[in-house]
Amino acid sequence: MSAMRKRRFNPDRDVKEWSGPSIPYDILKEAFVALVAVGCLVLLLAVVFSSPDEHAVTLKTWSTADPVDFAQTAITQLDGTSPVATYGPPYNSTPGAAQHIGFFEPAQWLGTHQAVDTAKDFVLGPLQTLPGDAAVHQAVSEYEAASSAQRQAWTSAYEKAVADAKDVNGTLQVPPGPYGPVGTIIARLTSMAQSGALDGALSGQGQFYNTNYTKPLLFIASGNYLADLAGHQHLQGDQWGMMNETGNYPGQAWLWLYTMWYQVAPMNSSSNADLEVWGIMMVLTLVLIFLPFIPILRSVPRWSRVYRLIWRDHYRRLAQSRVARPQSVSATVEPTS
Amino acid sequence: MTAPPVPRHGRASESAQWTARARRAAESAFPPERLLPDRQPAYLGSWVYVFGVISVVSLVWVITTGCVLALFGPTWWHTSSVGLFFNSMHLWSVEVFFFFMVLHLWGKFFMAAWRGKRRLTWATGVISFVVSIAAAFTGYLSQQNFDSQWISTQAKDGINATGAGAFWNVLNFGQMLMWHIVLLPIGVAAIVGLHILLVRRRGIVPPFEVGDHADGAGGDGDGSGDVVGTTTLEVGTAPTVERGVSA
Amino acid sequence: MMHSLLLGSLIDLGGTGHYIHWGFIQLSVANLVVIIAMIVVFALAIIIPFPRHGGKDK
């Protein structure tokens, strides 16, 4: 206190502590009443509105609903052009893929920690787990034994062909072309996905227990199917989707500022948008934490005069006491009997 | 059954021990009438003051309903109507929690409630908000439904860009569930607990221009001799005036 | 789905969502309702007189 008194009194930092009258106030009773009231409110909301639970998308539902999108995604996993294959850290070390602001490149510095090899993990590996399918095992062996130039020729040819693929009653039909074993590989992967076996192969990772869904999620998120479903629910990033919930449920409205930055220039067209928005939000969070130290900002409450309304009884009494005792500003407070 | 008698405080030679010093520090920071005051300064007279306690009791409901969901495991609510009901209670208590936490923040901002050595109270409040956002986020990731899939595969880009994705993998359900039901609840409870203790320690912030009822406004600044029954307000706690003063 | 369950919702919020576009701002109606409710509750908390507790302060 004595140290503080030596500084000039700043109304936005310092207070004259209250030594005036007090009132009885039962904080535990208040808390109990609030507990019951909020309990009733939550109970009412739960009974009336329940909660949303949209089924998860599986590789099975995706490949069944849209085998063409699945096959078009699968070939990019095989030839290494998918969003995951070219993601960079933490999934792989694609040069220049990590987001950066100037020299600040934290993802690059930390490197690959959740290694994903899309061709091996998403396509070739799962196919090798199929029992008794000589054709696909031969196709995989042929693909793996080929030179990289040969593989690229096959996958390029397949990418061209699959662009015109058709979904005939749930079966993938790809126009013929010089794509060698790749046609068998993607066709079998699609039927494996439609049977549900690919979900098991990617989720299980060769173990009985598994709680890590990184690989199947990355595969599913590479296609258009999941994104289209999200777009219909207004959940896309450019739809302020971070705030939204499925259906008509309220979502995370408290993320309004975070999601807003993605909508404005230059972040709305930047390839480093995530890092830029995170940087802005970190700075703003620090500003909020250290608001009491920041001149001008910490004066806003006093200038706004909203406090005059919150403490209006106090200011009314203060005004009355000044009218009653105009000289009392510097007088001491008189005790009553 | 009665508790055994409390032994007398130790001799002076024992007063340097850690236990004795910790007890003295706790007693000095939180005498019972400061920890559980039955009176508040007379300027407390607005519904804005209830937002804080509503936030805290909402958190109690969030944790209680979360504990019920934990009893039966993460898939229960997808298959049981009772489970869905408790999931709904959990969701809506979170919505109510954030609703009132933000109103509490607005209210405290307009009161400039950081004044008078209450800056740490303000900071812990903001940090509570931030940690709560992380806790809610991992809750969305732990739902095991379309929401979790979409939110995790979108959010990964932000987390990965910061480098945190190297060890904090939002696509790893097991990891996110552990953070949601163990680490972040401990974090939220700890920071909210600290926040409440600081509120009790420093007391509620006085208005701008306290007028005559002020420590230092009319007296010499220590409050002594100004008001009957008032103690010196070194740490800015709410005074316990028995009879008050005339207006 | 969820409404077939015993403790399902009385009012189904699971249908097609409603959204509002103002310039670059896009909001779900549900979130807008929450935000308006926050502003209204804050304003009411300031406007409505707070009952004095039992004791006297004078």
Side-chain angles (χ1 to χ4, degrees):
Chain A
M1 279 303 263
S2 58
M4 202 171 96
R5 229 176 279 140
K6 285 172 191 160
R7 292 195 296 185
R8 203 162 57 83
F9 183 86
N10 181 332
D12 303 315
R13 180 190 64 207
D14 307 319
V15 286
K16 290 170 177 167
E17 289 295 351
W18 183 255
S19 57
S22 66
I23 51 169
Y25 200 95
D26 194 341
I27 55 172
L28 288 190
K29 185 177 170 188
E30 178 194 44
F32 178 77
V33 170
L35 185 71
V36 172
V38 169
C40 292
L41 175 65
V42 168
L43 192 72
L44 185 74
L45 289 165
V47 168
V48 173
F49 297 123
S50 190
S51 49
D53 189 15
E54 296 279 330
H55 287 304
V57 171
T58 61
L59 291 157
K60 180 180 177 175
T61 55
W62 171 26
S63 58
T64 305
D66 194 349
V68 174
D69 182 51
F70 178 84
Q72 287 171 346
T73 307
I75 184 62
T76 63
Q77 309 290 19
L78 182 65
D79 68 12
T81 59
S82 76
V84 182
T86 56
Y87 193 94
Y91 307 126
N92 44 54
S93 55
T94 308
Q99 294 194 23
H100 59 93
I101 299 174
F103 73 93
F104 184 64
E105 210 172 6
Q108 186 64 41
W109 298 336
L110 284 154
T112 306
H113 280 260
Q114 325 282 344
V116 177
D117 176 343
T118 56
K120 184 168 162 292
D121 294 337
F122 292 169
V123 184
L124 302 174
L127 286 174
Q128 283 164 331
T129 66
L130 284 178
D133 191 334
V136 77
H137 289 169
Q138 194 189 332
V140 169
S141 301
E142 188 182 350
Y143 181 83
E144 287 185 323
S147 67
S148 66
Q150 177 64 70
R151 289 186 200 175
Q152 207 177 338
W154 286 332
T155 54
S156 302
Y158 191 83
E159 283 213 37
K160 281 199 193 80
V162 82
D164 299 320
K166 288 191 170 55
D167 169 9
V168 181
N169 299 323
T171 305
L172 178 71
Q173 289 201 349
V174 183
Y179 39 70
V182 170
T184 305
I185 287 172
I186 301 299
R188 286 291 201 279
L189 191 75
T190 307
S191 58
M192 183 183 180
Q194 288 173 330
S195 75
L198 188 58
D199 286 297
L202 281 182
S203 303
Q205 306 289 320
Q207 296 187 41
F208 185 78
Y209 290 107
N210 183 43
T211 56
N212 185 352
Y213 294 85
T214 302
K215 285 174 182 172
L217 279 171
L218 286 175
F219 196 160
I220 290 172
S222 303
N224 292 323
Y225 183 70
L226 188 78
D228 288 345
L229 289 178
H232 288 135
Q233 300 268 16
H234 268 66
L235 300 176
Q236 293 269 18
D238 59 5
Q239 297 170 311
W240 297 60
M242 229 174 272
M243 289 171 74
N244 292 346
E245 178 56 270
T246 53
N248 283 300
Y249 286 93
Q252 302 182 73
W254 49 90
L255 295 181
W256 70 273
L257 188 61
Y258 178 47
T259 188
M260 188 203 77
W261 294 117
Y262 283 94
Q263 324 301 325
V264 298
M267 279 75 73
N268 57 3
S269 59
S270 167
S271 58
N272 296 307
D274 293 300
L275 189 57
E276 290 159 2
V277 170
W278 267 82
I280 291 169
M281 289 307 289
M282 288 297 109
V283 169
L284 292 180
T285 302
L286 290 175
V287 165
L288 195 58
I289 291 173
F290 292 103
L291 194 71
F293 296 92
I294 302 172
I296 299 176
L297 284 184
R298 67 179 175 186
S299 301
V300 170
R302 189 162 49 86
W303 296 337
S304 79
R305 295 180 71 80
V306 174
Y307 70 90
R308 298 286 304 193
L309 295 170
I310 295 173
W311 286 312
R312 61 182 177 273
D313 289 349
H314 165 76
Y315 289 110
R316 191 159 49 228
R317 282 196 295 269
L318 195 63
Q320 282 166 356
S321 75
R322 279 176 180 163
V323 169
R325 294 178 297 149
Q327 303 303 315
S328 71
V329 173
S330 62
T332 53
V333 178
E334 296 162 7
T336 52
S337 53
Chain B
M1 191 176 135
T2 54
V6 180
R8 287 164 163 277
H9 286 188
R11 289 188 301 277
S13 60
E14 293 167 4
S15 67
Q17 61 169 226
W18 291 9
T19 309
R21 284 157 75 172
R23 186 186 61 235
R24 280 200 305 276
E27 281 172 350
S28 138
F30 297 106
E33 56 275 15
R34 189 180 290 162
L35 202 56
L36 281 176
D38 53 11
R39 297 186 74 87
Q40 291 290 336
Y43 54 80
L44 189 163
S46 170
W47 286 104
V48 172
Y49 281 99
V50 306
F51 293 148
V53 73
I54 294 179
S55 307
V56 173
V57 299
S58 304
L59 181 61
V60 171
W61 282 112
V62 171
I63 292 171
T64 305
T65 52
C67 286
V68 175
L69 291 170
L71 279 176
F72 297 94
T75 57
W76 177 52
W77 75 279
H78 298 286
T79 55
S80 151
S81 56
V82 179
L84 176 65
F85 174 71
F86 277 101
N87 180 74
S88 307
M89 291 269 289
H90 194 57
L91 169 72
W92 287 106
S93 55
V94 168
E95 290 284 343
V96 172
F97 174 54
F98 274 95
F99 188 104
F100 285 102
M101 187 163 40
V102 171
L103 294 191
H104 178 59
L105 188 144
W106 292 354
K108 294 302 150 184
F109 172 77
F110 285 118
M111 294 181 192
W114 52 76
R115 291 171 295 134
K117 295 189 171 180
R118 292 174 179 83
R119 289 178 291 211
L120 191 59
T121 317
W122 170 268
T124 52
V126 176
I127 295 168
S128 304
F129 181 52
V130 174
V131 180
S132 300
I133 289 174
F137 169 66
T138 53
Y140 279 88
L141 302 184
S142 303
Q143 291 182 91
Q144 306 162 299
N145 59 13
F146 174 77
D147 266 16
S148 312
Q149 291 181 306
W150 179 251
I151 294 172
S152 61
T153 51
Q154 288 293 294
K156 77 178 193 306
D157 299 333
I159 309 286
N160 289 342
T162 66
F167 52 88
W168 205 67
N169 180 7
V170 295
L171 304 177
N172 184 340
F173 164 74
Q175 188 186 12
M176 291 303 109
L177 181 68
M178 291 298 190
W179 276 76
H180 182 63
I181 67 171
V182 181
L183 301 175
L184 288 167
I186 290 172
V188 173
I191 195 81
V192 169
L194 178 62
H195 182 69
I196 294 170
L197 281 178
L198 284 167
V199 172
R200 290 276 58 91
R201 173 128 164 80
R202 301 291 182 205
I204 62 173
V205 74
F208 295 98
E209 309 165 62
V210 288
D212 294 345
H213 301 317
D215 179 16
D220 57 7
D222 65 3
S224 60
D226 291 355
V227 179
V228 171
T230 306
T231 51
T232 303
L233 300 170
E234 241 178 280
V235 290
T237 178
T240 52
V241 180
E242 288 307 322
R243 287 180 299 166
V245 296
S246 62
Chain C
M1 209 167 68
M2 73 189 89
H3 8 91
S4 65
L5 298 170
L6 185 64
L7 292 167
S9 51
L10 297 178
I11 296 174
D12 183 18
L13 294 183
T16 309
H18 296 83
Y19 307 92
I20 286 169
H21 295 232
W22 287 310
F24 81 114
I25 296 173
Q26 295 190 40
L27 262 181
S28 74
V29 172
N31 277 343
L32 183 65
V33 168
V34 170
I35 292 165
I36 289 174
M38 287 172 73
I39 294 167
V40 168
V41 170
F42 191 74
L44 289 178
I46 289 179
I47 293 164
I48 296 174
F50 190 70
R52 304 301 292 181
H53 281 248
K56 302 273 287 176
D57 66 325
K58 293 185 180 181

